[in-house]
């Protein structure tokens, strides 16, 4: 079975150059690495080239511009593909022993609305993270003479993500998927001299490899069914109709486990918080912008299978599993975020929770697409999930970079306060100083009152937090509301979905609490340490991406009016095809706030109430407070700080009983999943490795050594026969002839 579908071939003057979106950063990898080794320590290389940062930047800008050209050219034109050429072909003899079957593996790009969304997210954020990195990485002495390694690994990682998005087959998707996995290992372990960083890198690599094993199994099953992994073959409705539904569901389920590992969902979530050991640009890159979205992209790519008429009603069990994993992870990660004091670890668990929202939304969309009579709702559900991916990537990328800005300036302030003139202290992100005071620049317990000292960072983190919380009219509100509504829409039809539907609704309240808690502990109240009193924004480059992403997040209301909530994967929907901007805005406002269906009307306001009032109000009661006397925040932040102070004064209460409870302790211990992971690694994996070593030493090496010694003995014996006497050689030849004759006689 290798019948191609009627995916139109893209014909344009630009398409042949689109491959450079991937190739440019890939080619920049060896260049930066080579130049870094050649000029390491050179003053011009350090100051003028920023140790490779100013080589990587124009490359990422070029990839972004090329991506924009591709997006603009094919926006609204639907699905298309462009075949670049063959990269591998071979053949083997058929079952009849005569026929030679030839297999050709080609290289091409595939464009649909999913490609467009992820391509913009990846290229845009990679460019902004590059800008942020120049300010962050090149101003700390701890990174001197090794930043070239960071930028080389960075551009290769970006190449992997961009290649995965543009791939025209599951095979190439997997190749670039693994390239990202390798680069994430290198980036997380950037400070490899630290045991914790080395451990975190290995933990991330091994955990995601567990998922990748299942992904490979799923791809092999898909190959066995379709005879190809090209989208043009596997997405063909006729080909889908010819395969067994149960086998297809099993293959897609195996692939979904790979997505669970890559996007850090339960139970393969343990690697993500430890990945904070890498520099903050790594956090933004891996945890928000690119890598964790790869798993979501893989699930989104499954949409044509669920939408195929021949599979109607056959794949709903898998859709439920996807939604259920998302719902469980959303609540679990949000609960753990409640008790985290490490700024970036709060964001790490928030990332897990928000990705889980998207998985739940995708699960609902896939269920609707696979259920006869509900297909019309699938586009809205699918669009809401993809729009939340966009909103989350923008907001969370901004939040990770804002957290990096806070940590960066806290390190510098700590250095200034303690007059560390030798620069031998540790200023790198996630690198706690080795001084007697053991000051932790990432702990929110050492912050407070930074709203007046870091206005740009505080604003960015406020807008990003509001988007993640789903405050009305800002960022994630539009997409989050759509995910909750569609999860409940499915739950009314399939009672199993009450679990994920309830989880995402509960998660809305939990998100409102822990995101408000994070912002208030960092920026509101009085400074908790002397270091916090001396913090101020001083590092160039860093504010650029923060300001840019602030405006992008605030513009989401316009994107909602442009019908991003109806973003589809198929060619039947085109950009602006339904409504213009004004009509789209009116539609969204009416649909969200004045829904004619009483159930969804109430559901919307319940979600707004618990997410925008209950959660933040509880956080204000516990952690709110006024700034230090004489200090004021910017006008748009001061009312929030004043409100938090009033709520804290009137409604504040002692939560020490909760803080000391068994549940709180369990949450601080990450529900003990990490201990179970360590136990499994030490007792099972390590034990298996020891057994393999013993088997290798005793059996494999023993066998080889036995053969070696035996052959030596035989050779010595044979050597004794070489006497140099012609008579002896004639006798041995005669005996040999007699033996051969005897053997022939016996055979006859």
């Amino acid at each position: 079975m290798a019948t191609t579908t009627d995916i139109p071939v893209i014909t344009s003057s630009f398409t042949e150059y689109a491959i450079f979106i991937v190739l440019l950063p890939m080619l920049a990898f060896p260049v930066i690495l080579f130049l870094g080794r050649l000029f390491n320590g050179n003053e011009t290389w350090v100051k003028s080239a920023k140790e490779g940062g100013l080589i990587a930047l124009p490359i990422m800008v070029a990839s972004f511009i090329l991506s924009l050209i591709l997006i603009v050219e094919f926006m609204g034109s639907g699905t298309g593909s462009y075949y670049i050429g063959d990269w591998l072909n071979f053949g083997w003899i058929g079952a009849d022993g005569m026929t030679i079957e030839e297999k050709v593996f080609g290289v091409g790009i595939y464009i649909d609305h999913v490609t467009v969304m992820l391509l913009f997210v990846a290229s845009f954020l990679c460019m902004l993270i590059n800008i942020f990195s120049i300010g962050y990485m090149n101003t700390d002495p701890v990174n001197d003479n090794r930043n070239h390694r960071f930028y080389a690994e960075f551009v290769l990682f970006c190449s992997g993500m961009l290649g995965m998005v543009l791939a025209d087959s599951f095979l190439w998707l997997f190749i670039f998927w693994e390239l990202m996995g390798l680069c994430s290992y290198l980036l997380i372990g950037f400070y490899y001299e630290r045991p914790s960083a080395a451990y975190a890198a290995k933990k991330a690599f091994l955990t995601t490899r567990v998922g990748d094993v299942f992904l490979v199994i799923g791809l092999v099953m898909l190959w066995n069914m379709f005879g190809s992994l090209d989208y043009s073959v596997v997405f063909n409705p006729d080909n889908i109709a010819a395969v067994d539904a149960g086998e297809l569901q099993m293959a897609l389920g195996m692939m979904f486990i790979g997505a669970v590992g890559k996007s850090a969902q339960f139970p393969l979530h343990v690697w993500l918080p430890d990945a904070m050991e890498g520099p903050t640009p790594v956090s933004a890159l891996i945890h928000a912008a690119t890598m964790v979205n790869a798993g979501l992209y893989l699930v989104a790519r499954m949409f044509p299978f669920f939408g195929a008429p021949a599979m109607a009603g056959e794949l709903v069990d898998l859709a439920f599993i996807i939604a259920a994993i998302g719902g469980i992870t959303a609540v679990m990660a949000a609960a753990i975020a409640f008790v985290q004091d490490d700024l970036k670890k709060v964001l790490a668990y928030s990332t897990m929770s928000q990705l889980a929202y998207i998985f739940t939304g995708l699960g609902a969309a896939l269920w609707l697409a696979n259920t006869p009579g509900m297909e019309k709702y699938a586009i809205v559900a699918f669009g809401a999930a993809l729009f939340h991916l966009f909103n989350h990537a923008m907001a969370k990328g901004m939040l990770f970079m804002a957290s990096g800005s806070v940590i960066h300036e806290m390190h510098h302030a700590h250095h200034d306060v303690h007059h560390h003139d030798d620069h031998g202290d540790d200023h790198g992100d996630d690198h706690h100083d080795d001084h007697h005071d053991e000051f932790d620049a990432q702990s929110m317990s050492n912050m407070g009152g930074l709203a007046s000292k870091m206005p740009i960072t505080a604003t960015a983190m406020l807008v990003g937090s509001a988007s993640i919380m789903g405050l009305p009219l800002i960022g994630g509100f539009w997409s989050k509301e759509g995910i909750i509504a569609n999860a409940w829409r499915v739950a009314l039809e399939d009672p199993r979905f009450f679990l994920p539907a309830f989880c995402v609704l509960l998660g809305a309240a939990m998100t409102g609490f822990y995101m408000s808690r994070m912002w208030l502990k960092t920026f509101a109240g009085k400074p908790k340490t002397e270091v916090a009193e001396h913090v101020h924004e001083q590092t160039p480059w860093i504010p650029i991406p923060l300001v840019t992403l602030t405006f992008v997040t605030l513009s989401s209301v316009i994107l909602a009016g442009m019908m991003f909530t109806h973003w589809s994967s198929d060619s039947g929907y085109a950009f602006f095809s339904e409504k213009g901007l004004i009509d789209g805005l009116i539609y969204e406002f009416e649909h969200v706030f004045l829904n004619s269906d009483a159930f969804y009307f109430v559901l919307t306001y319940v979600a707004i109430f618990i997410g925008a009032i209950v959660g933040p109000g509880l956080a204000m009661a516990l952690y709110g407070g006024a700034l230090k006397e004489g200090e004021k925040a910017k006008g748009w932040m001061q009312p929030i700080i004043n409100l938090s102070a009033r709520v804290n004064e009137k409604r504040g209460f002692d939560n020490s009983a909760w803080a000391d409870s068994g549940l709180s302790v369990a949450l601080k211990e990450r529900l003990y999943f990490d201990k179970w992971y360590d136990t499994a690694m030490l007792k099972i994996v390590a034990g298996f490795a020891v057994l393999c070593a013993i088997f290798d030493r005793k059996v494999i090496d023993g066998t080889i050594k036995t053969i070696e010694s035996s052959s030596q003995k035989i050779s010595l014996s044979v050597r004794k026969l070489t006497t140099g006497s012609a008579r002896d050689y004639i006798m041995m030849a005669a005996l040999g002839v007699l033996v051969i004759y005897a053997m022939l006689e016996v055979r006859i």
Side-chain angles (χ1 to χ4, degrees):
M1 181 191 303
T3 305
T4 58
T5 189
D6 54 354
I7 295 176
V9 177
I10 301 170
T11 55
S12 74
S13 58
F14 171 74
T15 313
E16 60 184 296
Y17 303 106
I19 192 65
F20 287 101
I21 296 172
V22 180
L23 287 181
L24 284 176
M26 185 176 292
L27 295 174
F29 166 74
V31 172
I32 295 174
L33 206 59
F34 173 76
L35 293 177
R37 290 183 176 271
L38 186 64
F39 299 111
N40 203 8
N42 180 275
E43 186 176 356
T44 302
W45 171 251
V46 173
K47 293 184 177 180
S48 299
K50 300 296 184 182
E51 297 185 77
L54 291 183
I55 298 176
L57 181 57
I59 294 296
M60 297 317 305
V61 170
S63 286
F64 175 61
I65 293 173
L66 291 173
S67 298
L68 280 183
I69 296 173
L70 189 66
I71 290 170
V72 171
E73 187 166 352
F74 298 102
M75 184 69 74
S77 63
T79 302
S81 63
Y82 177 78
Y83 193 75
I84 297 172
D86 300 339
W87 72 286
L88 179 65
N89 61 76
F90 59 89
W92 59 78
I93 299 176
D96 59 1
M98 298 292 295
T99 306
I100 297 192
E101 184 178 357
E102 186 176 7
K103 290 292 181 181
V104 178
F105 295 92
V107 181
I109 61 173
Y110 180 85
I111 304 173
D112 63 0
H113 288 82
V114 179
T115 303
V116 166
M117 179 71 79
L118 268 293
L119 183 61
F120 177 82
V121 168
S123 60
F124 181 57
L125 285 179
C126 283
M127 180 185 66
L128 293 180
I129 292 167
N130 197 153
I131 296 172
F132 179 88
S133 300
I134 294 173
Y136 190 96
M137 299 297 294
N138 295 84
T139 53
D140 278 324
V142 72
N143 297 322
D144 288 349
N145 300 323
R146 59 170 160 183
N147 281 324
H148 67 280
R149 182 163 59 84
F150 170 83
Y151 290 113
E153 294 163 0
F154 168 82
V155 294
L156 189 61
F157 187 104
C158 295
S159 176
M161 182 66 188
L162 295 168
M164 188 199 73
V165 170
L166 289 170
D168 68 339
S169 72
F170 282 111
L171 176 62
W172 277 106
L173 183 151
F174 177 74
I175 291 172
F176 285 111
W177 177 287
E178 290 301 308
L179 179 61
M180 281 195 297
L182 172 62
C183 292
S184 72
Y185 167 78
L186 297 172
L187 288 167
I188 295 170
F190 182 74
Y191 300 113
Y192 58 85
E193 70 278 2
R194 298 183 63 226
S196 57
Y199 173 78
K202 289 185 287 187
K203 188 175 184 177
F205 189 80
L206 291 174
T207 306
T208 54
R209 292 294 79 71
V210 172
D212 291 355
V213 169
F214 287 95
L215 174 57
V216 170
I217 294 172
L219 293 177
V220 171
M221 293 177 67
L222 213 64
W223 170 276
N224 186 58
M225 286 184 284
F226 292 95
S228 175
L229 292 176
D230 293 346
Y231 296 155
S232 60
V233 175
V234 299
F235 292 161
N236 187 317
D238 295 331
N239 292 344
I240 296 174
V243 303
D244 180 74
E247 189 177 355
L248 178 60
Q249 182 165 246
M250 180 61 69
L252 297 179
M254 294 293 105
M255 294 166 64
F256 170 65
I257 297 175
V260 167
K262 200 70 132 185
S263 294
Q265 298 294 285
F266 175 84
L268 299 178
H269 64 280
V270 295
W271 67 270
L272 189 60
D274 293 284
M276 298 293 107
E277 290 291 339
T280 289
V282 177
S283 303
L285 181 72
I286 295 176
H287 309 133
T290 54
M291 181 168 159
V292 293
N293 288 330
L296 297 167
Y297 177 76
L298 178 62
V299 174
R301 270 281 162 256
M302 300 178 187
F303 193 86
F305 297 115
F306 287 80
M311 291 293 150
E314 299 291 341
L315 306 177
V316 291
D317 291 339
L318 178 57
F320 165 71
I321 293 172
I322 293 171
I325 291 293
I328 293 169
T329 307
V331 172
M332 179 196 70
I336 298 175
F338 277 11
V339 298
Q340 298 298 315
D341 274 329
D342 186 298
L343 184 57
K344 288 205 305 174
K345 287 188 178 179
V346 174
L347 295 177
Y349 282 106
S350 173
T351 300
M352 289 167 52
S353 184
Q354 296 305 307
L355 293 175
Y357 265 90
I358 303 171
F359 271 111
T360 300
L362 287 173
L366 296 175
W367 189 95
L368 292 166
N370 198 238
T371 303
M374 305 294 289
E375 299 91 342
K376 64 180 180 179
Y377 300 112
I379 289 180
V380 179
F382 191 80
L386 281 187
F387 193 26
H388 199 59
L389 186 154
F390 174 88
N391 287 324
H392 173 260
M394 298 297 149
K396 194 56 63 70
M398 176 169 56
L399 286 168
F400 269 113
M401 286 187 278
S403 71
S405 176
V406 172
I407 297 166
H408 191 74
E409 304 303 350
M410 287 284 290
H411 273 298
H412 280 259
H414 179 241
H415 176 270
D416 294 338
V417 167
H418 293 276
H419 306 288
H420 295 153
D421 298 324
D422 60 345
H423 299 291
D425 58 328
D426 205 347
H427 292 296
D429 185 37
D430 288 337
H431 286 59
H432 303 317
D433 295 340
D434 297 326
H435 307 298
H436 66 277
D437 57 358
E438 297 183 351
F439 182 78
D440 186 356
Q442 296 187 191
S443 176
M444 294 183 292
S445 300
N446 293 325
M447 301 175 187
L450 301 185
S452 63
K453 306 174 186 301
M454 303 184 69
I456 296 175
T457 302
T459 301
M461 191 163 279
L462 179 63
V463 173
S465 298
S467 178
I468 299 299
M469 291 160 56
L471 263 61
L473 308 184
I474 297 178
F477 167 76
W478 305 100
S479 49
K480 210 167 188 177
E481 183 273 337
I483 289 174
I484 293 173
N486 284 287
W488 280 94
R489 185 187 304 278
V490 177
L492 296 176
E493 301 291 334
D494 187 344
R496 295 179 298 175
F497 266 78
F498 275 111
L499 170 64
F502 177 76
C503 284
V504 292
L505 188 59
L506 176 62
M510 300 172 76
T511 304
F513 173 79
Y514 71 73
M515 292 302 296
S516 299
R517 171 183 178 268
M518 178 192 70
W519 194 89
L520 292 169
K521 291 192 70 173
T522 304
F523 297 101
K526 297 174 177 59
K528 301 180 182 70
T529 61
E530 185 183 6
V531 172
E533 292 183 352
H534 289 78
V535 167
H536 60 280
E537 289 174 325
Q538 61 179 337
T539 306
W541 295 88
I542 286 180
I544 298 173
L546 296 181
V547 173
T548 303
L549 288 173
T550 298
F551 282 104
V552 172
T553 300
L554 291 173
S555 69
S556 64
V557 63
I558 299 175
L559 299 178
M562 295 163 73
M563 305 304 291
F564 269 56
T565 54
H566 290 60
W567 202 264
S568 172
S569 65
D570 63 29
S571 59
Y573 176 79
F575 196 61
F576 277 133
S577 65
E578 294 188 6
K579 304 178 187 296
L581 177 58
I582 302 300
D583 291 338
L585 284 171
I586 294 172
Y587 171 84
E588 285 296 326
F589 274 92
E590 288 181 347
H591 179 75
V592 173
F593 297 107
L594 298 171
N595 199 306
S596 58
D597 190 302
F599 177 81
Y600 295 106
F601 179 86
V602 173
L603 181 65
T604 297
Y605 284 95
V606 167
I608 292 174
F609 176 73
I610 63 177
I613 297 176
V614 175
L618 182 59
M620 288 181 178
L622 289 171
Y623 306 104
L627 296 177
K628 184 179 179 181
E629 187 176 353
E631 295 188 352
K632 285 190 174 294
K634 294 294 184 180
W636 51 86
M637 288 186 288
Q638 192 62 49
I640 297 173
I641 294 174
N642 294 339
L643 177 62
S644 77
R646 288 196 295 270
V647 172
N648 181 264
E649 184 179 354
K650 293 183 178 181
R651 304 295 181 185
F653 57 92
D654 183 12
N655 70 328
S656 56
W658 150 255
D660 297 332
S661 67
L663 178 58
S664 178
V665 173
L667 292 174
K668 289 179 181 178
E669 294 292 333
R670 309 181 190 180
L671 296 175
Y672 305 104
F673 280 112
D674 291 77
K675 290 186 177 180
W676 297 338
Y677 174 91
D678 291 340
T679 300
M681 289 295 104
L682 291 174
K683 293 186 177 181
I684 299 176
V685 178
F688 180 73
V690 171
L691 291 175
C692 289
I694 294 172
F695 179 82
D696 182 66
R697 187 172 62 255
K698 299 287 187 180
V699 180
I700 305 299
D701 290 349
T703 303
I704 293 173
K705 289 179 180 178
T706 301
I707 295 172
E708 180 186 7
S709 63
S710 300
S711 63
Q712 288 178 347
K713 291 178 181 178
I714 294 172
S715 64
L716 288 173
S717 301
V718 173
R719 187 177 178 182
K720 292 178 180 179
L721 298 176
T722 57
T723 61
S725 173
R727 290 191 299 270
D728 293 341
Y729 295 153
I730 294 171
M731 182 184 69
M732 286 188 284
L735 288 173
V737 172
L738 290 174
V739 169
I740 294 171
Y741 178 78
M743 292 174 64
L744 291 173
E745 286 293 325
V746 170
R747 185 176 180 182
I748 293 172

